[in-house]
Amino acid sequence: MEKRKLEVADLFKLQSVTDPQLAPNGKEAVFVKTHIDEEDNKYIANLFHVDLESNEVTQWTHGKGAISSPEWSSDGKQIAFLSDREEKNQLFILQARGGEAQKVTTFEKGVSGFLWSPCGKKIWVDAVVKEGKTFTDKEEKDEKKKPQPYRATKMKYQMDGAGLLPQDTYKQIGLVDIETGEVTQFTEGNFQHGLQAISHDGKKLIIGVNRKNNLDFEFRQPLIIVDVETKEETVLVDEEGYFGGAQFSFDDRYIAYVGSDRSFENATHSSLYVYDTEDGMRMNLTESIDAPVGDAAVADHQQGADAPSAVWTKDNYLYFQLSTMGDIRLYFASLEGELYPATPENEHVYGYDISVDGEFALVAVSNAINPGELYKQTIATGERQAITSFNATYLEEVELVEPEAIVYKGATNWDVHGWLMKPAGYVEGTNYPLIVEIHGGPHAMYANTFFHELQLLAAQGYGVLYVNPRGSHGYSQEFVDAVRGDYGGGDYEDIMAGLDYVCKENSWIDTNRLGVTGGSYGGFMTNWIVGHSDRFKAAVTQRSISNWISFFGVSDIGYYFSDWQIGADMTDVDKLWEHSPLKYAKHVETPLLILHSEKDFRCPIEQAEQLYITLKSMGKETEFVRFPDANHNLSRTGTPNLRIARLDEITGWFAKYL
């Protein structure tokens, strides 16, 4: 059977398999499967169960909403999960032997997260509570409520995806009695508390909280061990940087957590730490690896992929994700300092759980030509058995292009890693246009994972080049830090050197038909490129930065990100302007399509407005498309019809000019 080419609307056919959770008996598991409902224009996520002895997969929930964060009770008889089936995320419990899910909470503002108490009769929750109110207090509904002014007194007053932040609400931790529904508030004070972990004996909680009154320049979240009975606190970690994902070992002696200090601001590699509660000592288990712990991949398919920071076995071994050379691999660590990969190269492990005895792992795995499925992997041999095959029919019907990995010399003679895709249906001796894709971040990475947008461009007859220039994660600390203070310098050279390299090595590339696109930092770089080179015949800039001076005051992160990344604030506007693509608008000769979301608070739409009007006033060839009710994450989690419209705009522009 001849395969068809991938289409924009295939977003509605692809299935996302995430969040495997093993039962305590190691013989069964649950996971989440998400698909996009075209008719309802929404994401639908349901809970599935697998019997690991028979490999039988059964759908356990059938709602039209999205469920997330499934977790087994310690006796394996119940599964708790969050569901937005009634708008706000609430906590539900399902009996493992069948029956309807029981709704446990009816909080006014929903539930943010939860942890089972080991007794199985109570559940710890964290949720937003209005000052002076309780979890269950209802707000008065006034149908004729008049608009009210918003007073900002702090710099962190808005956030992408949330908009203006409420000034009088705080995340608190509480304990829910499953039988009675009674909720007891555990934390107090006007601070944001985050639930991290509970010890296996149920006596200790780990919470994250910063109790400073003004958090504008606070870039830390202390982790605190709290005695459940006495509320006595012991500091686990309190230093600059982000630390989280705490997990108790089975004997409750050790606590693993992941984090990064501020040595290189937000470019600092994350490490895996272990704290010994007996002697108070802390070990950095990944100190010898020059790569970040966690998942730094950018892609547009996996929905709600939420992997644990680390998982213990009963023998006090640890498993965790590591982003390295375009892979996200599962790694093993011992307290004695042993470290080695537990999964192979050339793939993206985006979800996992480990059996208590360390015999096998459940891994959710994708690669460039597989959207992702769930596998059972024997740790000792690496042997894998497929558990799910939701995308099997799709893969039989659709032609996907396998990228070729490349390594070339970038600026300062450093090795730069990337991939080149030939057009789908490539015919030897034919010339094809090429599109360069640039990722956001910049501290993220393209990876060996399925990427619908890249496959779509290949399906429409384009070669696709995507690389990890300096600033990208997954390589050395020196490499990821090298972009800071040098936006538009070595990073620009790395990307253009990659283009030179593939054009020289591949005679099929028509160098008169080159396109470039990218979002966020990739949008900044697209803007920069067209202001510094006329090699491209078409460009699409998305959710971009054009002016660092205004970005400082309008972005939800601008007032510190500009300093961290450009090395300048409003006391040095000359440097901010020097690195602003808008300064070079008069040099733009490339037809430029500008795409931007109306509710993007990360790179606000005024960045696009300035660029568009400036280019138009200079008589440049440009168009501007605005996406209503969309934020910075449009390409990944945006409203489905707008995601389709965005892809149609990109492919339409390239079709017109290439």
Side-chain angles (χ1 to χ4, degrees):
M1 181 181 86
E2 189 176 339
K3 293 188 174 186
R4 68 168 175 85
K5 290 193 167 52
L6 180 139
E7 298 167 358
V8 176
D10 284 2
L11 277 179
F12 300 117
K13 294 186 168 61
L14 291 160
Q15 313 277 320
S16 174
V17 184
T18 60
D19 213 358
Q21 298 286 331
L22 274 162
N25 63 14
K27 294 177 180 176
E28 55 186 326
V30 291
F31 61 90
V32 177
K33 182 181 78 66
T34 307
H35 71 279
I36 303 175
D37 187 300
E38 186 171 8
E39 191 177 328
D40 289 341
N41 198 31
K42 64 188 281 193
Y43 299 86
I44 293 176
N46 277 300
L47 188 70
F48 282 69
H49 174 269
V50 56
D51 181 322
L52 293 172
E53 293 178 327
S54 67
N55 261 12
E56 186 180 354
V57 174
T58 312
Q59 186 168 344
W60 269 11
T61 67
H62 294 79
K64 280 278 192 180
I67 76 122
S68 60
S69 310
E71 188 182 321
W72 294 84
S73 59
S74 58
D75 62 5
K77 292 181 178 177
Q78 301 173 95
I79 296 101
F81 58 86
L82 300 179
S83 173
D84 67 355
R85 57 180 69 173
E86 293 171 20
E87 200 174 331
K88 292 272 193 294
N89 254 347
Q90 301 290 356
L91 183 65
F92 289 77
I93 290 177
L94 192 61
Q95 299 302 315
R97 295 298 161 249
E100 278 290 310
Q102 168 199 351
K103 186 178 177 184
V104 179
T105 61
T106 54
F107 294 179
E108 178 71 22
K109 301 193 181 297
V111 176
S112 307
F114 70 91
L115 289 170
W116 276 100
S117 171
C119 68
K121 295 176 181 174
K122 296 181 178 182
I123 293 182
W124 292 92
V125 294
D126 59 17
V128 171
V129 182
K130 199 164 186 173
E131 186 179 358
K133 301 286 186 182
T134 68
F135 289 106
T136 52
D137 283 348
K138 299 293 179 197
E139 287 183 10
E140 293 175 24
K141 301 288 186 217
D142 183 356
E143 295 303 321
K144 296 178 182 174
K145 200 171 183 182
K146 295 168 184 168
Q148 298 296 321
Y150 178 92
R151 184 188 306 278
T153 58
K154 297 183 170 70
M155 295 172 84
K156 291 181 181 174
Y157 72 92
Q158 57 179 349
M159 188 190 296
D160 187 61
L164 294 173
L165 298 174
Q167 302 281 28
D168 56 353
T169 61
Y170 302 92
K171 198 165 22 160
Q172 304 287 4
I173 293 169
L175 191 58
V176 181
D177 186 302
I178 295 169
E179 200 172 303
T180 65
E182 187 183 343
V183 188
T184 309
Q185 189 167 317
F186 183 76
T187 55
E188 55 190 34
N190 293 343
F191 310 109
Q192 308 295 346
H193 302 83
L195 195 55
Q196 290 268 331
I198 186 165
S199 60
H200 292 83
D201 63 10
K203 294 178 180 177
K204 297 277 197 299
L205 272 186
I206 299 175
I207 66 170
V209 62
N210 187 324
R211 295 194 176 109
K212 294 279 179 69
N213 285 325
N214 187 341
L215 301 179
D216 285 344
F217 288 98
E218 286 288 310
F219 304 105
R220 63 163 76 204
Q221 185 197 40
L223 299 184
I224 297 162
I225 307 166
V226 187
D227 186 290
V228 170
E229 286 298 316
T230 66
K231 294 198 178 180
E232 183 185 345
E233 296 185 353
T234 306
V235 174
L236 173 60
V237 58
D238 183 4
E239 61 184 82
E240 289 291 313
Y242 174 77
F243 298 89
Q247 305 281 349
F248 280 94
S249 61
F250 280 90
D251 59 10
D252 286 332
R253 175 175 171 177
Y254 301 102
I255 300 167
Y257 61 95
V258 167
S260 57
D261 61 30
R262 285 183 58 197
S263 301
F264 304 93
E265 298 299 2
N266 61 325
T268 311
H269 279 170
S270 292
S271 296
L272 175 63
Y273 296 93
V274 170
Y275 173 81
D276 187 337
T277 60
E278 290 189 7
D279 61 19
M281 297 292 286
R282 178 171 91 164
M283 299 171 275
N284 180 349
L285 293 188
T286 55
E287 198 167 10
S288 63
I289 301 180
D290 198 5
V293 170
D295 184 348
V298 292
D300 61 0
H301 170 60
Q302 284 94 28
Q303 293 297 328
D306 186 21
S309 59
V311 172
W312 289 97
T313 69
K314 67 178 181 188
D315 298 321
N316 286 342
Y317 296 128
L318 280 159
Y319 288 85
F320 61 95
Q321 290 165 304
L322 189 81
S323 292
T324 171
M325 302 293 290
D327 293 324
I328 293 85
R329 302 177 73 179
L330 199 59
Y331 261 67
F332 163 93
S334 74
L335 299 181
E336 290 71 45
E338 294 172 280
L339 282 169
Y340 54 79
T343 57
E345 296 178 322
N346 299 318
E347 64 179 28
H348 177 192
V349 176
Y350 61 86
Y352 71 99
D353 200 3
I354 309 291
S355 63
V356 174
D357 58 13
E359 293 290 320
F360 69 92
L362 275 191
V363 285
V365 182
S366 171
N367 61 40
I369 52 172
N370 185 340
E373 299 288 356
L374 195 59
Y375 301 87
K376 180 181 178 182
Q377 177 176 321
T378 306
I379 298 284
T381 64
E383 185 185 344
R384 270 186 196 165
Q385 183 181 14
I387 300 287
T388 65
S389 55
F390 291 110
N391 293 297
T393 304
Y394 179 82
L395 293 177
E396 285 168 9
E397 295 172 354
V398 178
E399 177 186 358
L400 297 179
V401 176
E402 184 149 17
E404 171 201 348
I406 58 169
V407 179
Y408 61 92
K409 293 295 180 185
T412 55
N413 212 33
W414 284 2
D415 281 352
V416 180
H417 178 209
W419 295 264
L420 177 66
M421 297 170 76
K422 287 180 176 170
Y426 170 82
V427 176
E428 194 78 42
T430 305
N431 279 1
Y432 296 93
L434 178 79
I435 293 170
V436 179
E437 279 261 8
I438 307 168
H439 68 65
H443 309 310
M445 69 177 194
Y446 280 125
N448 288 302
T449 192
F450 182 80
F451 211 133
H452 173 263
E453 180 180 326
L454 303 184
Q455 291 286 347
L456 175 66
L457 291 174
Q460 298 217 348
Y462 304 104
V464 185
L465 172 67
Y466 53 109
V467 304
N468 285 329
R470 64 198 56 213
S472 301
H473 258 317
Y475 305 91
S476 70
Q477 181 66 78
E478 184 184 13
F479 189 86
V480 71
D481 185 53
V483 73
R484 294 198 310 127
D486 189 39
Y487 272 48
D491 50 353
Y492 168 69
E493 291 179 51
D494 283 350
I495 293 164
M496 299 305 275
L499 178 61
D500 290 339
Y501 172 81
V502 297
C503 287
K504 183 183 171 192
E505 296 289 319
N506 298 273
S507 58
W508 57 265
I509 296 172
D510 184 344
T511 54
N512 292 314
R513 290 192 292 159
L514 301 175
V516 61
T517 186
S520 198
Y521 165 80
F524 157 85
M525 185 50 70
T526 300
N527 296 341
W528 186 269
I529 285 172
V530 296
H532 288 78
S533 169
D534 58 3
R535 288 178 67 178
F536 294 92
K537 291 295 175 284
V540 181
T541 185
Q542 308 168 53
R543 57 185 188 277
S544 72
I545 294 170
S546 67
N547 182 353
W548 287 105
I549 297 173
S550 63
F551 179 84
F552 183 92
V554 295
S555 167
D556 61 352
I557 61 172
Y559 72 91
Y560 57 88
F561 188 83
S562 302
D563 185 31
W564 290 1
Q565 294 292 312
I566 305 301
D569 58 19
M570 293 302 280
T571 63
D572 188 359
V573 292
D574 288 344
K575 187 170 184 182
L576 292 176
W577 186 237
E578 191 67 28
H579 290 276
S580 295
L582 199 62
K583 178 182 177 180
Y584 310 97
K586 64 185 177 189
H587 302 305
V588 174
E589 299 300 332
T590 308
L592 181 68
L593 176 65
I594 302 168
L595 305 181
H596 220 104
S597 295
E598 298 271 5
K599 293 186 176 176
D600 190 335
F601 283 75
R602 186 60 37 88
C603 297
I605 197 164
E606 62 86 35
Q607 294 285 309
E609 291 168 339
Q610 291 187 68
L611 183 62
Y612 174 67
I613 293 298
T614 300
L615 292 174
K616 270 290 186 190
S617 72
M618 293 175 172
K620 309 292 185 182
E621 202 158 342
T622 183
E623 290 181 17
F624 182 20
V625 180
R626 304 167 68 113
F627 295 91
D629 298 322
N631 61 31
H632 197 64
N633 279 312
L634 168 64
S635 66
R636 301 174 281 259
T637 58
T639 307
N641 76 297
L642 293 180
R643 286 182 67 185
I644 296 289
R646 170 187 164 272
L647 290 168
D648 283 339
E649 290 291 346
I650 294 169
T651 54
W653 190 259
F654 286 133
K656 181 178 178 181
Y657 289 100
L658 298 186

